[in-house]
Amino acid sequence: MEKAGEILQKHTIVVLNKALKHGFTQLPRYILKDKQLSFGARLTYAVLLSYAWQDDSCFPGQERMAADLGTSDRSIRTFLNELRTRNYIDWKQQGLNKPNIYYILDYQPLEIEAERK
């Protein structure tokens, strides 16, 4: 096992928590604080982000997302529709038995803040 000094010479951030070494996903504050989104929609957004960071793209199937969140694919469709309605995501259908291509849209804070006021 390496000594702490040797590790710090190689790395500026050292993760000692084994669970965190497998990665994590940050949830944007505007998603976290959007009271019009259900808890499930917020988690679905986080799952989409976790897939997207892998290869700069996001191609998970709804069954896979449902399994990851411990819910049904019907619930996932509801959550995805919530996110689409709020203009956080969109998707393109590829065809039968192929996963959708999901797009995490650019957040436009000025437009959204103007709507709230």
Side-chain angles (χ1 to χ4, degrees):
M1 182 172 192
E2 291 182 274
K3 295 180 182 177
E6 293 171 358
I7 293 172
L8 291 174
Q9 287 178 355
K10 296 179 190 175
H11 307 283
T12 57
I13 298 174
V14 179
V15 178
L16 299 177
N17 182 314
K18 289 182 182 183
L20 290 178
K21 287 187 177 191
H22 297 287
F24 62 93
T25 301
Q26 293 179 340
L27 190 62
R29 185 170 284 129
Y30 60 87
I31 295 291
L32 183 66
K33 300 279 185 169
D34 188 338
K35 292 179 175 72
Q36 294 182 16
L37 288 178
S38 68
F39 185 70
R42 295 173 202 190
L43 281 176
T44 300
Y45 191 90
V47 167
L48 285 171
L49 285 177
S50 75
Y51 296 139
W53 293 127
Q54 293 174 17
D55 294 311
D56 294 330
S57 57
C58 199
F59 303 103
Q62 293 173 2
E63 290 179 3
R64 166 80 185 270
M65 287 189 277
D68 286 350
L69 291 178
T71 191
S72 67
D73 55 336
R74 183 176 183 178
S75 292
I76 292 295
R77 284 190 294 278
T78 299
F79 302 147
L80 290 170
N81 281 317
E82 282 183 56
L83 292 165
R84 187 185 224 180
T85 299
R86 299 286 295 144
N87 295 315
Y88 292 131
I89 68 166
D90 202 0
W91 60 83
K92 177 182 173 186
Q93 294 180 327
Q94 297 191 92
L96 191 61
N97 295 325
K98 292 183 180 180
N100 295 336
I101 299 174
Y102 294 96
Y103 300 97
I104 296 172
L105 301 177
D106 189 19
Y107 174 61
Q108 301 296 322
L110 296 176
E111 292 176 19
I112 291 175
E113 291 302 319
E115 288 175 14
R116 288 182 184 164
K117 294 180 181 178

